[in-house]
Amino acid sequence: MALQVGDPAPDFTLPNQDGESVQLSSLKGKRVILYFYPKDDTPGCTKEACNFRDRWGRFEEHNIKVFGISKDNAASHTKFISKHSLPFTLLTDEEPCAVASLYNSYGLKKFMGREYMGMMRHTVVIDAEGRIERLYLKVKAATMADTLLSDLGLD
């Protein structure tokens, strides 16, 4: 069943780029942004990550945690972070992408007439109580951070 605004955010624990575990429920009391993306260092994913990087100060001012989630491994995340000076945490949700599936962000995709299973570009805002505050299922990679700041009244 699809998640809705107001639903409790499904809890999870995933490794970050350093191999350390991050558990969503340990972040209660803070607003959290999860952005699911297909692959490190690809054009759209780089635009999205760099938009978050360039607006990082605004998220930090409001004590908002930002996590990028893809199925890439820690080594790939570390390289992506280093190459683009990303100040936030990237999490690894390897096959079968259980966390992305919980958030309806992994499924059948179509590209150039080919169908395959993959990560969807979705963004979820979780409020300080651990409930879904906003869901973005149609994401413009180059401006997602700008959209969030505007919609949350933080721009």
Side-chain angles (χ1 to χ4, degrees):
M1 188 168 87
L3 292 173
Q4 303 289 319
V5 169
D7 288 350
D11 193 23
F12 64 83
T13 301
L14 286 176
N16 68 11
Q17 68 273 0
D18 300 318
E20 300 163 348
S21 292
V22 173
Q23 184 173 18
L24 180 64
S25 59
S26 73
L27 300 168
K28 252 196 177 140
K30 297 180 188 225
R31 189 182 259 167
V32 175
I33 293 170
L34 305 176
Y35 82 90
F36 294 88
Y37 66 99
K39 187 157 179 54
D40 288 343
D41 218 17
T42 55
C45 298
T46 298
K47 284 179 188 172
E48 188 171 20
C50 290
N51 185 231
F52 276 104
R53 177 201 63 204
D54 295 346
R55 305 299 179 265
W56 181 246
R58 300 295 297 148
F59 292 108
E60 222 175 16
E61 281 174 32
H62 295 280
N63 202 25
I64 298 172
K65 296 289 190 184
V66 175
F67 296 96
I69 302 176
S70 77
K71 60 184 183 175
D72 295 298
N73 64 30
S76 176
H77 283 339
T78 299
K79 184 177 173 189
F80 189 42
I81 287 168
S82 177
K83 182 175 180 181
H84 298 286
S85 302
L86 304 179
F88 50 87
T89 300
L90 298 180
L91 302 175
T92 296
D93 187 17
E94 294 185 282
E95 298 284 353
C97 302
V99 172
S101 295
L102 282 174
Y103 282 84
N104 306 308
S105 296
Y106 185 79
L108 190 63
K109 295 176 74 172
K110 293 180 183 183
F111 182 69
M112 295 179 70
R114 192 177 130 245
E115 290 186 348
Y116 62 97
M117 295 298 286
M119 191 76 74
M120 310 288 191
R121 190 181 306 280
H122 292 163
T123 300
V124 181
V125 179
I126 301 166
D127 69 18
E129 276 72 59
R131 297 199 166 273
I132 306 254
E133 182 177 348
R134 291 180 180 265
L135 286 167
Y136 296 86
L137 304 179
K138 294 186 186 213
V139 170
K140 290 185 179 167
T143 58
M144 188 67 239
D146 297 314
T147 299
L148 284 166
L149 290 170
S150 176
D151 289 355
L152 297 173
L154 307 175
D155 55 352

